């Protein structure tokens, strides 16, 4: 699918262009679209339309969500998104509107697809049903996000006229979760477990079950989440965490759902977005925080503040959980250009804190997805963006069973597999005989460090109801030794996070939407 997903764009343009050659202008088909009178005829039409649905999956915007949590930060204080961190945003915030709009664009596309797919003349019911299953999963994906962001949202399952769109009301979030749960169960029955190489990247039955597990976990339906997680078959952890987000590992055994890109044809700008400023003026838009870096254990499996942990504040990145240096650029790391990353103030490098407003204000940069192959053209990356992988499923199973107090060996196995199931991540097993609360904290820790910068942590701190604690106060960065060998911790200048628990657990319904449709009642205290 990597090489074919977006060829539909060319096909549609050609179809429209050919129609303009007709002599009778009044009978011609508009050349900026494909008429439904000539489309929806063949299996090829269905394939092109199905491919188009994947373009509405999230890509590099997943990094923005983590930058609204405690583990990352929006690097430029004047960015619209930074106002959400500061707690000064309102119903007119562009970031909030864009997320709402993008999700419903995807929903509208899948609704239209499902209303028209049966017009296709085909005796291959397995293929048509597969297309339907893919569309159902893609629609459910959007609703999972919307429920996590906004709570009650309009549950729209058909294409709407403008007049109808101005009359819809918000559906209770419990009913949205009901819909998602059933939709994904139904889709799983229509989808194959795997595909041939030419169709790698398409949605499988495993993706439907894995998304169902995510949705049920977020909804607090822990038994359903655990049951769905056990249905995810045929996936394993990739052998190397360090290489998991590199080109050579694309479509590996751990990836369940991703957004597929292709350099030169359908690219993304992840390198330019996240890499340190010294790398051809990359933008460092979203940067890790001290909160995340300090969360990585030592190689002995201890918190850095525990007695006997082996942590050395003068060499803070030595003898740590390997996932730290695989996920975050820290002092001394070699960058794609071949130079060393030196972010300390006064280091004299382009990455020094304060050298420019674009350099990381915390002294850390995201390393996931930053590949040497993209250095020559940072805005033309073809790396796939992973949206769901098997490690998440294992941690979902563990968390759901912990919340149910169904603590058995499968809980320990799931967590320990994530901690030491790869050739380059070998942390000690967690001790046995732990209490429910102890295991709860461990699985939350593992989700935080294992899945950092994968777009999940914002939703986690909301459902755990910890945002009111972790999203307040200053943002801190690196701790470094100054000229007098005194340890100094960087604090982001003029930035103080605020989280109002009476309203910030849900985003407001965007003002543009409530202006068009007063039936969309606003969330509490907005």
């Amino acid at each position: 699918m990597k090489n074919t997903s977006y060829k539909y764009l060319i096909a549609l343009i050609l179809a429209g262009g050919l129609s303009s050659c007709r002599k009778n202008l009044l009978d011609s088909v508009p050349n900026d679209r494909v008429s439904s009178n000539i489309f929806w005829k063949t299996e090829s039409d269905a394939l092109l339309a199905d491919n188009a649905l994947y373009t509405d999956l999230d890509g590099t915007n997943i990094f923005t969500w983590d930058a609204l949590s405690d583990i990352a930060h929006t690097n430029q204080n004047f960015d619209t998104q930074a106002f959400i961190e500061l707690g000064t945003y309102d119903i007119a915030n562009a970031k909030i509107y864009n997320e709402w709009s993008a999700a419903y664009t995807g929903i509208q596309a899948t609704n239209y697809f499902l209303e028209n797919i049966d017009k296709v003349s085909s005796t291959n019911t397995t293929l048509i049903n597969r297309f339907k299953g893919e569309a159902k999963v893609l629609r459910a994906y959007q609703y999972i996000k919307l429920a996590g962001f906004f709570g009650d949202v309009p549950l729209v399952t058909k294409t709407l006229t403008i007049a109808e769109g101005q009359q819809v009301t918000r559906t209770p979030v419990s009913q949205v979760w009901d819909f998602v749960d059933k939709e994904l169960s139904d889709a799983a029955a229509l989808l194959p477990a795997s595909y041939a190489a030419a169709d790698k990247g398409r949605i499988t039955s495993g993706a439907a079950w894995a998304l169902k597990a995510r949705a049920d976990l977020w909804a607090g339906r822990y038994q359903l989440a655990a049951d769905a997680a056990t249905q995810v078959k045929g996936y394993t952890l990739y052998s190397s965490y360090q290489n998991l987000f590199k080109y050579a590992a694309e479509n590996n055994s751990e990836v369940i759902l991703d957004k597929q890109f292709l350099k030169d044809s359908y690219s993304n700008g992840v390198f330019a977005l996240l890499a340190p400023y010294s790398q051809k003026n990359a933008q460092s838009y979203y940067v890790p925080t001290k909160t995340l870096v300090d969360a990585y254990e030592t190689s002995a499996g201890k918190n850095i503040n525990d007695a006997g942990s082996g942590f050395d504040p003068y060499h803070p990145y030595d003898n740590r959980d390997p996932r730290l240096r695989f996920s975050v650029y820290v002092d001394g790391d070699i960058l794609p250009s071949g130079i060393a990353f030196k972010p300390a103030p006064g280091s004299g490098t382009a990455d020094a804190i304060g050298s420019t407003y674009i350099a990381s204000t915390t002294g850390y940069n995201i390393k996931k997805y930053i590949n040497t192959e993209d250095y020559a053209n940072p805005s033309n990356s073809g790396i796939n963006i992973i949206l769901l992988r098997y490690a998440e499923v294992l941690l979902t199973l563990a968390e759901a069973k912990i919340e149910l107090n169904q603590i058995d060996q499968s809980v320990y196995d799931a967590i320990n597999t994530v901690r030491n199931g790869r050739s380059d991540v070998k942390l000690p097993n967690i001790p046995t005989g732990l209490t429910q609360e102890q295991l709860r904290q461990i699985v939350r820790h593992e989700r935080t460090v294992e899945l950092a910068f994968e777009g999940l942590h914002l939703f986690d701190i909301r459902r755990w109801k910890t945002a009111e604690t972790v999203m307040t106060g200053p943002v801190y960065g690196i701790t470094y030794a100054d000229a007098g060998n005194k340890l100094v911790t960087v604090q982001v200048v003029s930035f103080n996070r605020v989280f109002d628990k009476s309203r910030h657990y849900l985003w407001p319904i965007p003002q543009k939407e409530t202006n068009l449709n007063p039936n969309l009642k606003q969330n509490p205290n907005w």
Side-chain angles (χ1 to χ4, degrees), residues 184-460:
L184 292 171
S185 296
D186 292 346
L190 302 175
L191 292 163
S194 61
Y195 292 89
D199 281 318
K200 284 288 187 183
R202 291 193 177 279
I203 290 171
T204 62
S205 57
W209 286 118
L211 269 179
K212 183 179 183 299
R214 175 189 288 181
D216 288 327
L217 184 72
W218 290 12
R221 301 176 177 188
Y222 299 120
Q223 190 61 61
L224 292 175
D227 292 344
T230 61
Q231 293 296 316
V232 180
K233 311 289 188 183
Y235 297 91
T236 59
L237 293 190
Y238 185 62
S239 60
S240 169
Y241 194 95
Q242 181 178 19
N243 296 325
L244 182 57
F245 303 92
K246 296 185 181 299
Y247 282 98
E250 287 189 328
N251 301 309
N252 68 71
S253 62
E254 186 169 344
V255 177
I256 299 176
L257 177 65
D258 61 5
K259 176 74 171 281
Q260 301 250 320
F261 290 95
L262 186 64
K263 192 185 294 283
D264 298 325
S265 298
Y266 189 79
S267 61
N268 64 63
V270 66
F271 190 107
L273 184 75
L274 301 180
Y277 179 67
S278 64
Q279 304 303 285
K280 292 199 171 182
N281 296 341
Q283 297 298 297
S284 302
Y285 259 107
Y286 311 107
V287 295
T289 63
K290 179 179 174 63
T291 296
L292 174 68
V293 172
D294 286 357
Y296 290 92
E297 297 173 348
T298 64
S299 55
K302 294 179 178 289
N303 183 285
I304 62 171
N305 296 316
D306 289 347
S309 69
F311 176 70
D312 178 357
Y314 283 92
H315 300 90
Y317 314 120
D318 293 349
N319 302 314
R320 299 288 294 277
D321 178 342
R323 291 174 293 184
L324 168 56
R325 296 193 88 137
F326 297 157
S327 304
V328 179
Y329 277 114
V330 298
D331 182 69
D333 282 351
I334 301 302
L335 298 168
S337 66
I339 67 173
F341 182 57
K342 290 293 182 181
S347 65
T349 71
D351 296 319
I353 295 172
S355 62
T356 169
Y357 73 94
I358 298 176
S360 172
T361 53
T362 64
Y364 300 117
N365 275 88
I366 296 173
K367 186 180 287 187
K368 285 183 178 179
Y369 294 107
I370 305 304
N371 288 289
T372 303
E373 295 94 324
D374 294 328
Y375 176 72
N377 192 346
S379 296
N380 185 28
S381 173
I383 191 71
N384 296 340
I385 303 296
I386 300 171
L387 301 175
L388 202 164
R389 56 188 177 90
Y390 189 59
E392 180 191 343
V393 175
L394 291 173
L395 294 175
T396 293
L397 174 64
E399 184 178 352
K401 296 193 74 170
I402 290 167
E403 293 302 327
L404 292 164
N405 209 18
Q406 296 177 3
I407 298 169
D408 57 17
Q409 190 59 43
S410 69
V411 172
Y412 287 90
D413 289 345
I415 295 173
N416 288 330
T417 297
V418 173
R419 287 174 61 84
N420 57 41
R422 307 177 194 272
S423 62
D424 54 6
V425 179
K426 294 294 182 184
L427 292 171
N429 284 344
I430 61 173
T432 57
L434 298 176
T435 66
Q436 182 186 35
E437 180 57 29
Q438 288 172 322
L439 284 167
R440 179 181 289 130
Q441 296 309 314
I442 286 172
V443 77
R444 290 180 179 186
H445 162 82
E446 284 301 320
R447 283 186 66 89
T448 300
V449 297
E450 170 71 22
L451 304 172
F453 318 126
E454 296 180 43
L456 299 174
H457 193 62
L458 173 64
F459 300 100
D460 284 347

Side-chain angles (χ1 to χ4, degrees), residues 80-153:
T80 300
Q81 168 155 319
F83 300 152
I84 301 178
E85 284 188 81
L86 291 166
T88 59
Y89 64 109
D90 58 22
I91 60 177
N93 185 275
K95 170 63 177 175
I96 290 171
Y97 172 75
N98 290 340
E99 292 290 355
W100 174 285
S101 177
Y104 276 108
T105 296
I107 289 166
Q108 176 80 344
T110 52
N111 287 344
Y112 181 76
F113 177 90
L114 289 167
E115 288 171 354
N116 286 278
I117 184 65
D118 285 330
K119 295 177 182 177
V120 171
S121 177
S122 173
T123 59
N124 190 343
T125 56
T126 299
L127 179 65
I128 299 302
N129 283 336
R130 192 200 86 193
F131 289 152
K132 290 179 181 178
E134 291 176 68
K136 285 176 176 287
V137 172
L138 291 166
R139 181 168 63 181
Y141 172 89
Q142 301 293 353
Y143 275 117
I144 293 169
K145 259 194 326 181
L146 285 169
F149 282 139
F150 299 100
D152 301 349
V153 292

